[in-house]
Amino acid sequence: MIASGRTPHTVKDLMNPNPVSVPPNTTVEDAMHLMRDRGISSIISRPGEDGQWGIMTQRDVLSRIVSAHRQPASVRVTEVATKPLISVPEDLSLHDCADRMSHHNIRRVCVVDAAGEPIGIISDTDIFASVEQFGLPE
């Protein structure tokens, strides 16, 4: 959207599509390798026995693995992923998305379609860059 020169208005206009997800029993080490290979800072954990989607970020790895002196090869993504996954509908305005992110004190949210399936990720950095470039849409 930004490359086209059109001003983004909704999270769908700005999101990074096709979020990377892994089964909940994936090791943190394998997820870290995947994140590095794809150049991403977060990965979605598919529902496990608890039925909840989750998200594991670089910050989660630092605070829940590195700082805690845990071995990434022996910890599963489901153990460190933040749950429940905070999500927003694809037609949500950037203003309302930023408000929800502030309310939950998070830096990224999952964008879901009408069926509730993850279709993208939007971060505070994405919104910041859009507002800096285009201003805040009316």
Side-chain angles (χ1 to χ4, degrees), residues 86 99-106:
I86 305 297
D99 185 53
R100 190 165 303 175
M101 292 166 75
S102 292
H103 174 76
H104 290 285
N105 194 29
I106 56 176

Side-chain angles (χ1 to χ4, degrees), residues 6 9 14-15 17-18 29 35 46 52 64 74 78 90 92 97-98 114 121 123 125 137:
R6 295 188 347 232
H9 289 87
L14 199 57
M15 71 180 187
N18 305 316
E29 180 179 60
M35 290 166 69
R46 295 183 203 124
Q52 292 186 329
R64 299 175 185 163
S74 63
T78 192
E90 59 190 318
L92 191 70
C97 182
I121 297 281
S123 72
T125 304

Side-chain angles (χ1 to χ4, degrees), residues 76-127:
R76 304 290 173 207
V77 169
T78 192
E79 296 174 57
V80 297
T82 301
K83 297 178 186 179
L85 180 64
I86 305 297
S87 61
V88 297
E90 59 190 318
D91 61 348
L92 191 70
S93 72
L94 297 178
H95 174 269
D96 289 340
C97 182
D99 185 53
R100 190 165 303 175
M101 292 166 75
S102 292
H103 174 76
H104 290 285
N105 194 29
I106 56 176
R107 299 188 61 211
R108 62 188 54 77
V109 293
C110 183
V111 180
V112 295
D113 62 16
E117 292 296 313
I119 59 170
I121 297 281
I122 187 166
S123 72
D124 58 352
T125 304
D126 298 326
I127 296 172

Side-chain angles (χ1 to χ4, degrees), residues 40-91:
I40 56 177
S41 60
S42 63
I43 198 159
I44 295 178
S45 173
R46 295 183 203 124
E49 293 177 11
D50 61 5
Q52 292 186 329
W53 290 86
I55 187 167
M56 184 185 83
T57 66
Q58 290 175 339
R59 181 177 287 175
D60 293 329
V61 172
L62 291 176
S63 65
R64 299 175 185 163
I65 300 295
V66 178
S67 292
H69 300 285
R70 298 172 77 187
Q71 292 299 318
S74 63
V75 180
R76 304 290 173 207
V77 169
T78 192
E79 296 174 57
V80 297
T82 301
K83 297 178 186 179
L85 180 64
I86 305 297
S87 61
V88 297
E90 59 190 318
D91 61 348

